[in-house]
Amino acid sequence: MSIPAFSDIAKSSNDLLSKDFYHLSAAALELKNTTPNNVAFKVTGKSTHDGATSGLLEGKYTDKSSGTTITQSWNTANILDTKLELNDTIAKGLKAEFLGNFLPATKAYGAKANFHFKQSNFHGRAFFDLIKGPTANVDIVIGQDGFLLGGSAGYDVQKAAVTTSSLAVGYSAPLYTASIIATNNLSVFSAAYYHKVNQQVEAGAKSTWDSKAGNQVGLEVAAKYRLDPVSFAKVKINDRGVAAVAYNVLLRPGVTLGLGASFDTQKLDQATHKVGTSFTFEA
């Protein structure tokens, strides 16, 4: 079994509850293309329900023989991002990432270094912000026979203090996963469950309790149904009565349409509902 990263212990349920719901943006467009020399280009654009728009242009070059990937992006906030990845180049199981960003308008810049080390029963990561702080965030996950145990901590070099801490336990099987995670210095607790019922149906749920905010527990449940080989539908609802539905269909090879909507079931007579669309073109 592959050991997930700390942030991916509840990935199956998180993806079911958050991915492929298109109501969050009024409209979204994504164009993807890969050249024969392994350069992948991506252009994305989004329009929010408030009328604001954003976009991103990205180019990624991958040299599989050396395990090197270089990514350069530029977005409409006028931020230039550069990332260099070295996978299994320095040592077997180690991926190193070096990231830099630059804001031409203000001349501000940032620099980060990330390291991922993965073995059969271990997955560790270290994230360093070399400019702000500096700060370091480290997390590890160990696993055996489907059982997972993980922890993470953040450290501020200038303050010489641990700033954040988290713990997690989980269990992963081919058809279902379960996890309990404590974050924000062990003050926010979440429990998640995912089940692949059969080839057509997936279901999941997540509950969250912030011990500093009171006794209220948030709950969200979702389900996905594959209608046929090229389309699926999703639905979710939370404890506040907000429901969302989504439909995804492959119109033709390389062209995907997504439709989504959310409704506040307790305020059906008010204009709180949202509708969104998404087009993805890939060549």
Side-chain angles (χ1 to χ4, degrees):
M1 183 193 70
S2 178
I3 304 300
F6 183 83
S7 60
D8 291 337
I9 289 179
K11 178 175 170 48
S12 297
S13 56
N14 288 339
D15 284 353
L16 184 65
L17 289 162
S18 61
K19 290 183 65 175
D20 300 319
F21 284 101
Y22 306 105
H23 63 276
L24 298 177
S25 300
L29 176 67
E30 186 173 45
L31 307 176
K32 299 179 181 179
N33 183 45
T34 302
T35 65
N37 60 342
N38 293 325
V39 178
F41 291 97
K42 181 172 71 173
V43 179
T44 61
K46 290 184 179 181
S47 174
T48 69
H49 294 283
D50 298 325
T53 59
S54 62
L56 171 74
L57 172 64
E58 179 185 280
K60 178 186 290 187
Y61 171 72
T62 302
D63 186 349
K64 295 182 179 180
S65 62
S66 64
T68 302
T69 301
I70 301 174
T71 306
Q72 179 67 59
S73 65
W74 189 19
N75 62 29
T76 49
N78 200 14
I79 301 176
L80 292 165
D81 285 298
T82 302
K83 180 167 70 171
L84 170 65
E85 301 175 60
L86 303 174
N87 194 13
D88 291 335
T89 302
I90 302 173
K92 185 66 175 178
L94 175 65
K95 181 172 76 170
E97 300 176 339
F98 303 96
L99 303 91
N101 61 68
F102 177 65
L103 285 73
T106 62
K107 304 298 189 293
Y109 60 90
K112 298 180 180 181
N114 304 330
F115 300 93
H116 307 245
F117 185 64
K118 192 173 182 179
Q119 296 294 308
S120 57
N121 296 316
F122 174 87
H123 197 150
R125 305 184 301 174
F127 305 91
F128 300 94
D129 192 321
L130 307 177
I131 304 298
K132 297 179 180 179
T135 62
N137 289 277
V138 179
D139 61 56
I140 60 171
V141 177
I142 56 176
Q144 184 68 41
D145 298 328
F147 291 95
L148 303 170
L149 176 64
S152 73
Y155 184 77
D156 190 307
V157 175
Q158 286 188 340
K159 297 179 181 179
V162 175
T163 56
T164 61
S165 60
S166 304
L167 290 174
V169 293
Y171 182 77
S172 179
L175 297 180
Y176 60 90
T177 63
S179 64
I180 299 175
I181 303 175
T183 58
N184 288 21
N185 293 320
L186 310 184
S187 65
V188 178
F189 302 87
S190 63
Y193 178 76
Y194 165 85
H195 186 191
K196 186 172 184 179
V197 181
N198 52 46
Q199 293 296 323
Q200 287 76 39
V201 181
E202 300 173 46
K206 183 178 182 179
S207 61
T208 305
W209 174 51
D210 187 340
S211 62
K212 294 183 178 180
N215 294 324
Q216 184 68 34
V217 176
L219 177 64
E220 194 171 21
V221 296
K224 177 179 177 180
Y225 181 74
R226 181 158 291 281
L227 302 168
D228 52 54
V230 297
S231 66
F232 63 82
K234 296 183 69 174
V235 60
K236 69 175 179 178
I237 189 169
N238 61 26
D239 61 290
R240 299 180 301 279
V242 179
V245 294
Y247 174 71
N248 179 289
V249 59
L250 182 66
L251 298 176
R252 55 175 296 177
V255 181
T256 302
L257 168 66
L259 302 173
S262 68
F263 312 91
D264 191 331
T265 59
Q266 298 180 354
K267 302 177 182 178
L268 291 176
D269 59 336
Q270 300 182 22
T272 59
H273 319 304
K274 296 179 180 179
V275 177
T277 60
S278 173
F279 276 100
T280 301
F281 300 89
E282 187 169 0

